[in-house]
Amino acid sequence: MANHCGAMATTTAGVNQVTRSEGGDVVRYRLEAGEVDWQLAPGRSVRGYGFNGQVPGPVIEAKQGVPLEIEFTNRLPEPTVIHWHGLRLPAAMDGTESVQRLVQPGETFTYRFTPPDAGTFWYHSHANETEQVEKGLYGALIVRAAEELALDGEQLLVFDDLRTDKSGRIAKFGGLMDRHNGREGNVRLINGTSEPELTIAAGQTERWRVVNASSARYVRLALGGRTFQIIGTDGGFIEAPIAATEVLLPPGDRVELAVGPFENEGEVLRIEDLPYYRMAGKKGVERFGTIRVTSRQPSTARVPSRLRELAPLAADDAPVTRTVTLGFKMSLRRGFDFVVNHERHHHDQPVRVGELQVWDVVNETQMDHPFHLHGFFFEVISVDGRKPAFRSIEDVVNVGPKSTVRIAWYPDDRPGMWMYHCHILEHHASGMMAHFEVVR
Ligand SMILES: [Cu+2]
């Protein structure tokens, strides 16, 4: 794995406790959350939160079908909990306040689950998220299949943005404006580093795993206008590569790309975030980093024309079983709330194991909201009545202003409390979320 861009950070305690022992058939990690000096660039640090002294936290390398055990210790001055974003795990391991007591300072909690799907996932705090995730409490989790698609190389790019104040510290939360728009930052980061330079050898094609860990920023990713291929989304491969010059990642979203080959040694391409106006946020092109094309290397990469077959989850005319409305309400006490079905922190009806769910997610507001379902993948059946361009397996989907996205998902036998919410962290915090139970 060629990861040319690593975050550098140090921790005051000097601990770096990545232990990984594959004795028998368990992959084990130890994670410790604590305060860190997060080095955004040489000579430029902020006081943040990290796992094992770094931002992002260590890349967790799991294996499809092999038990994963993560012993987590909280060394923060506040309670926290870790959510394993996109993993189809037992409810009790989902890492939210509705399935476990928050992990208090000094406490340890061990997460145990067996990842059933290969793909690109991530983990992040699910407590006081608008502060803890902004401060750096996130990391990537890769689940590898027994036989992986290996191109000439692989890179992981975790996008984030951070808002710093005049003195260079992480800015204080911006009150009502940030609650409304979500917090976007002035510092653009890949793998915790401000505008890094990645490299790729001329003539080679790499597999890129991309995660958007931003609180609110939609990353409309482009690589200097060059064509790349989309090969996967949240839940792994799509059916066939899609050639594209840009791809949109709302907060929480992932894509996998085949990038290259680039022919000109020495060329420097911009890793850009194109304008995306969601009634808030950036309006111009912003740079997240660059890719330098280095000396030519031989290539053995072959991107298959068929990546996998995805059987449709539901017939096109399957009846809708539930409508979820994403709304906005004025409030005397708080100014306004973001709500689900007209209610903050909505308690939705249970769903039954084995009963196909077809949900209309209706956005009644004027802004975009990235809808995230915990613990289960869905297929997007339609967007405003139109079929998506290609079939994919998702746990995040953007719901545009005044738009309806129809999703289908199947509750397999993992009963317990689950949730769905807007992945703009400030909207989630102001109420745009719901709990529901999966029952047998
Ligand atoms: Cu939202």
Side-chain angles (χ1 to χ4, degrees):
M1 172 162 156
N3 190 348
H4 305 281
C5 150
M8 293 163 294
T10 53
T11 168
T12 41
V15 283
N16 186 4
Q17 303 194 352
V18 192
T19 62
R20 181 176 185 227
S21 53
E22 281 169 43
D25 45 7
V26 180
V27 177
R28 288 196 178 82
Y29 277 84
R30 193 177 294 161
L31 286 181
E32 196 172 290
E35 292 187 277
V36 295
D37 289 318
W38 176 3
Q39 192 179 334
L40 305 173
R44 205 165 127 225
S45 296
V46 290
R47 196 78 182 140
Y49 283 178
F51 291 105
N52 299 5
Q54 61 182 76
V55 181
V59 178
I60 294 182
E61 290 266 355
K63 292 178 176 173
Q64 185 177 19
V66 175
L68 177 62
E69 197 175 291
I70 296 146
E71 187 188 292
F72 169 61
T73 302
N74 182 8
R75 302 276 178 220
L76 296 169
E78 60 178 308
T80 191
V81 70
I82 308 181
H83 171 55
W84 310 94
H85 185 123
L87 275 295
R88 295 194 301 135
L89 36 64
M93 295 291 119
D94 192 39
T96 70
E97 69 284 5
S98 52
V99 294
Q100 73 175 99
R101 200 176 136 263
L102 295 183
V103 184
Q104 300 299 310
E107 284 184 356
T108 294
F109 183 90
T110 302
Y111 293 93
R112 290 188 183 85
F113 53 89
T114 301
D117 309 288
T120 304
F121 304 94
W122 65 302
Y123 60 98
H124 61 82
S125 157
H126 214 277
N128 190 17
E129 275 174 278
T130 56
E131 294 296 329
Q132 294 190 4
V133 177
E134 176 74 2
K135 285 180 172 175
L137 221 46
Y138 62 82
L141 191 160
I142 295 172
V143 182
R144 296 195 185 276
E147 298 220 344
E148 281 275 279
L149 171 66
L151 302 179
D152 293 321
E154 182 179 301
Q155 300 204 47
L156 169 69
L157 290 82
V158 182
F159 285 77
D160 185 17
D161 63 350
L162 183 67
R163 191 189 299 160
T164 54
D165 63 19
K166 285 194 206 86
S167 61
R169 296 192 191 90
I170 296 178
K172 293 249 180 305
F173 191 73
L176 278 187
M177 191 64 120
D178 278 352
R179 258 188 92 217
H180 185 272
N181 294 345
R183 171 153 55 175
E184 288 197 15
N186 53 309
V187 182
R188 293 169 301 280
L189 305 156
I190 298 176
N191 301 342
T193 301
S194 168
E195 299 178 50
E197 180 181 273
L198 315 187
T199 59
I200 185 168
Q204 292 203 325
T205 301
E206 293 186 339
R207 180 171 176 177
W208 282 21
R209 299 172 182 270
V210 184
V211 179
N212 183 5
S214 309
S215 301
R217 176 187 290 253
Y218 279 56
V219 176
R220 188 178 152 209
L221 174 64
L223 304 176
R226 300 307 174 83
T227 301
F228 51 79
Q229 295 176 81
I230 302 169
I231 59 173
T233 61
D234 297 339
F237 288 130
I238 55 177
E239 292 188 300
I242 303 284
T245 53
E246 60 173 82
V247 61
L248 180 68
L249 290 102
D253 207 18
R254 286 92 63 212
V255 288
E256 292 200 23
L257 309 176
V259 174
F262 301 117
E263 297 308 325
N264 302 326
E265 295 180 16
E267 190 176 18
V268 176
L269 302 170
R270 289 164 59 101
I271 302 174
E272 294 169 315
D273 180 14
L274 301 177
Y276 188 82
Y277 191 57
R278 52 182 183 84
M279 298 303 280
K282 62 171 159 104
K283 290 174 189 159
V285 180
E286 297 193 343
R287 187 175 76 172
F288 264 88
T290 52
I291 325 164
R292 177 176 297 276
V293 182
T294 56
S295 353
R296 179 168 299 275
Q297 297 288 331
S299 172
T300 54
R302 200 187 69 83
V303 181
S305 57
R306 289 302 288 179
L307 293 157
R308 70 163 161 176
E309 302 305 317
L310 293 173
L313 259 181
D316 289 348
D317 58 353
V320 173
T321 58
R322 180 171 302 189
T323 298
V324 172
T325 62
L326 308 177
F328 177 84
K329 246 170 57 173
M330 301 312 283
S331 152
L332 283 175
R333 274 179 57 204
R334 294 171 296 273
F336 57 84
D337 296 319
F338 285 98
V339 292
V340 169
N341 293 2
H342 312 288
E343 188 179 42
R344 301 169 69 228
H345 310 288
H346 178 57
H347 281 266
D348 207 343
Q349 296 300 309
V351 305
R352 197 167 290 280
V353 168
E355 285 181 3
L356 177 72
Q357 301 297 306
V358 180
W359 291 8
D360 267 347
V361 184
V362 180
N363 180 357
E364 294 179 335
T365 76
Q366 305 282 358
M367 304 175 79
D368 292 71
H369 299 287
F371 174 88
H372 171 49
L373 175 65
H374 279 221
F376 300 87
F377 291 130
F378 53 80
E379 181 189 334
V380 176
I381 302 295
S382 64
V383 177
D384 293 325
R386 282 197 301 273
K387 268 192 164 184
F390 54 91
R391 180 169 295 140
S392 63
I393 302 294
E394 309 287 356
D395 55 63
V396 174
V397 64
N398 186 46
V399 191
K402 301 285 176 192
S403 188
T404 297
V405 174
R406 182 169 296 174
I407 62 169
W409 66 280
Y410 185 81
D412 56 305
D413 190 19
R414 287 176 295 126
M417 286 308 295
W418 296 96
M419 62 171 68
Y420 58 82
H421 59 84
C422 174
H423 218 287
I424 290 175
L425 302 183
E426 294 77 10
H427 293 179
H428 176 190
S430 30
M432 192 175 270
M433 63 90 68
H435 308 270
F436 67 96
E437 192 173 4
V438 172
V439 295
R440 282 192 174 126

